[in-house]
Amino acid sequence: MTGVKTIYLDNAATSWPKPEAVYRAMDDFMRRTGASPGRSGHRLSIEAGRVAYDTREALAMLFGVRDPTRIVFTANATEALNVVIRGMLHPGDHVITSGMEHNSVMRPLRAAEQAGVRVTVVPYQPAGTLQAGGVERAIGEDTRLIVLSHASNVAGNLLPIAEAGLIARKRGVTFLVDAAQTAGCCAINVEAMNIDVLAFSGHKGLYGPQGTGGLYIRQGMESRIRPLKHGGTGSRSESEYQPEFLPDKYESGTPNTVGLAGLCAGVRFVLEQGGAIQRRERELAAALLQGLGGIPGVVVHGQNSAEGRIAVISFNISGLTPSEVSMGLEEHGILCRPGLHCSPAAHRTLGTFPQGTARLSPGYFTSDEDIEAALQAVREIAARGAGG
Amino acid sequence: MERAQHGVVLFYSMSHALWAEKLFKGTGIPVKLIPVPRQLSSDCGICLRFDQPDEPRVRDILDRKQIEIQGIHPI
Ligand SMILES: Cc1ncc(COP(=O)(O)O)c(C=O)c1O
């Protein structure tokens, strides 16, 4: 339809638009730098290396990490999670996760299970401390890893990461956090939260382009995690064996340096905004929750308050499937994501499996008018749904 | 033989070298990233050159910031 303004409410999949500085940094890198970092020692290669280094430094600052070389880049959060899950579990090991996970956690875990790893899924409890207690009770002699998402990409609820981190540290179990949904919009301090390994997406709340993501790996952990890929790193070139030091151990092959240029600008943007992003997203979530709550026929799934959550909201309209809702919204220019959001486990927990939900995920650049337009569209669709 | 006027710090990875470069830029100690000279061997293809008289300060700063290095050599 022409003349309808596009309102992008799918920031949980990937954020868009990006800050201007991100577009500029990527264009600039392609035109003026372009070289492969760390391979050749010439001026442009060093300049490209600086782009990657600066990105590590910005991320280290964001996550409270002293040593920027503990930040490793991957293609996305999925690859980051695979590095750790596939790289550290052996048959006979036990791993604990929650009933709120994305398939980028569940599928590598289920594959490990088929190879002889024991997996415990702690049921998700709306009261976070209960869930941390469940994690603690599940720990046994052979428990090697606890994996939890920081926030659900379906219902937006935060999980009790700090509590679980304390338990994991006390019991000597490695703690991996999937921060795909929270990096950039929630404060994360890996020291204070006792996080051993943090996986993040670069292309969501950090405002980088698609094809960026990574890991923070605590000092010493690398001896326990095999790399997914082996290959050229630009370092120790005389050796036919993979280097053991970070970040090179996990960064074989020419990286996505143009993507990192964008990610660096995105993370710097996040650092400049300080807490403003979280405050704004909380306002947006509150406005959506309040608006949706007043529409007859609309059911919001998961937590109803703007506290303890991110701006990711799942709902259904009685009598309509999530795809009908999403198609109806698109007629009003509103882009959202219907279905299961790669998270069958979370939908089972919420009782929305297999039909799924419609998910609205505003971002820092979403305006109050955008939210009002979305709510108005939902009102019309719900009224039509109830009438027809 | 001519006395060495420069020293170089060798690192495990380019990330470490760039980290160190950035630190020294903040201290006013003149440094330059250069390809590792042929007579030395290093894990990383580039190293950080400094003026020989600055060596004690260079060592001290690397130490205090806990940047892992492979070694320091005169060139
Ligand atoms: C909770 C969660 N984990 C992991 C991922 C995977 O992230 P990526 O697309 O960067 O691989 C996503 C989003 O897609 C997510 O929402």
Side-chain angles (χ1 to χ4, degrees):
Chain A
M1 220 190 292
T2 53
V4 177
K5 184 191 170 203
T6 295
I7 299 177
Y8 182 83
L9 297 182
D10 196 16
N11 288 277
T14 202
S15 62
W16 187 78
K18 310 292 183 186
E20 268 307 312
V22 173
Y23 306 133
R24 276 202 305 272
M26 294 179 74
D27 186 79
D28 198 54
F29 178 85
M30 287 305 283
R31 288 175 200 284
R32 293 180 348 106
T33 310
S36 179
R39 301 297 194 265
S40 314
H42 56 67
R43 183 173 64 78
L44 290 180
S45 171
I46 291 175
E47 193 48 44
R50 265 189 207 111
V51 168
Y53 174 78
D54 286 348
T55 315
R56 286 184 222 283
E57 194 177 71
L59 285 159
M61 188 171 290
L62 186 66
F63 298 140
V65 175
R66 184 195 67 81
D67 175 351
T69 67
R70 307 308 302 178
I71 304 288
V72 166
F73 295 120
T74 58
N76 45 44
T78 302
E79 188 186 343
L81 290 160
N82 270 269
V83 168
V84 186
I85 294 172
R86 296 176 60 176
M88 84 172 274
L89 295 176
H90 301 268
D93 287 344
H94 177 228
V95 50
I96 301 170
T97 191
S98 87
M100 263 295 172
E101 303 302 312
H102 188 272
N103 265 347
S104 53
V105 169
M106 288 318 296
R107 286 182 174 172
L109 286 182
R110 291 304 182 200
E113 191 173 40
Q114 286 171 332
V117 169
R118 201 159 58 81
V119 179
T120 300
V121 180
V122 174
Y124 171 74
Q125 303 279 353
T129 42
L130 270 178
Q131 177 161 285
V135 168
E136 177 148 40
R137 282 190 297 280
I139 296 175
E141 281 287 293
D142 47 3
T143 307
R144 263 175 74 86
L145 180 67
I146 296 168
V147 196
L148 292 179
S149 57
H150 190 184
S152 162
N153 65 308
V154 176
N157 55 285
L158 288 165
L159 277 80
I161 292 307
E163 289 93 323
L166 210 56
I167 292 165
R169 186 58 55 90
K170 199 175 66 189
R171 303 291 293 270
V173 180
T174 301
F175 187 37
L176 164 63
V177 173
D178 171 5
Q181 287 298 332
T182 52
C185 71
C186 295
I188 295 175
N189 184 300
V190 295
E191 295 299 334
M193 293 168 151
N194 290 303
I195 295 170
D196 295 308
V197 189
L198 183 82
F200 56 90
S201 288
H203 59 100
K204 299 182 196 258
L206 298 175
Y207 298 103
Q210 294 171 27
T212 59
L215 287 166
Y216 153 75
I217 301 177
R218 188 166 63 85
Q219 179 100 43
M221 285 295 309
E222 66 271 24
S223 62
R224 287 184 253 168
I225 306 171
R226 295 181 304 275
L228 219 50
K229 297 181 283 190
H230 299 85
T233 55
S235 53
R236 197 164 281 188
S237 292
E238 78 290 353
S239 168
E240 292 182 1
Y241 294 90
Q242 191 74 5
E244 280 295 319
F245 49 81
L246 258 60
D248 300 32
K249 180 170 183 177
Y250 305 101
E251 287 188 355
S252 292
T254 304
N256 176 13
T257 320
V258 61
L260 296 182
L263 177 58
C264 187
V267 176
R268 284 177 175 171
F269 173 83
V270 168
L271 289 167
E272 280 160 21
Q273 304 304 306
I277 294 178
Q278 186 166 24
R279 282 196 298 280
R280 176 62 184 157
E281 292 197 1
R282 199 170 283 163
E283 274 171 23
L284 294 166
L288 269 178
L289 286 168
Q290 200 193 356
L292 289 171
I295 304 173
V298 169
V299 179
V300 173
H301 299 284
Q303 185 167 314
N304 257 316
S305 78
E307 294 303 310
R309 64 145 54 248
I310 55 169
V312 173
I313 289 160
S314 261
F315 72 103
N316 276 312
I317 299 181
S318 65
L320 296 176
T321 65
S323 10
E324 285 167 336
V325 172
S326 120
M327 283 187 293
L329 285 169
E330 180 143 16
E331 282 173 26
H332 293 81
I334 292 146
L335 311 183
C336 74
R337 178 167 174 193
L340 292 171
H341 315 99
C342 300
S343 307
H347 279 283
R348 280 203 186 88
T349 293
L350 293 165
T352 48
F353 187 86
Q355 76 281 9
T357 57
R359 181 184 73 180
L360 297 175
S361 50
Y364 194 46
F365 300 116
T366 305
S367 70
D368 294 346
E369 293 72 38
D370 293 341
I371 296 293
E372 192 36 55
L375 289 170
Q376 189 51 34
V378 175
R379 278 182 206 109
E380 284 175 32
I381 294 163
R384 241 194 300 148
Chain B
M1 213 174 117
E2 210 181 313
R3 233 186 53 209
Q5 300 189 334
H6 288 114
V8 292
V9 189
L10 304 181
F11 299 93
Y12 288 102
S13 79
M14 185 169 207
S15 307
H16 289 90
L18 291 164
W19 184 9
E21 182 201 32
K22 209 158 188 176
L23 268 178
F24 285 114
K25 290 226 157 123
T27 62
I29 297 174
V31 294
K32 187 172 162 57
L33 286 172
I34 60 164
V36 175
R38 221 174 324 132
Q39 70 273 24
L40 299 174
S41 113
S42 168
D43 280 342
C44 165
I46 58 168
C47 60
L48 198 69
R49 190 186 69 189
F50 57 86
D51 296 337
Q52 194 63 40
D54 288 329
E55 180 166 337
R57 284 168 74 205
V58 166
R59 283 185 182 276
D60 180 55
I61 289 170
L62 289 168
D63 217 46
R64 265 191 290 129
K65 295 290 175 178
Q66 297 170 43
I67 300 183
E68 273 184 278
I69 63 166
Q70 271 197 317
I72 293 184
H73 301 270
I75 56 167

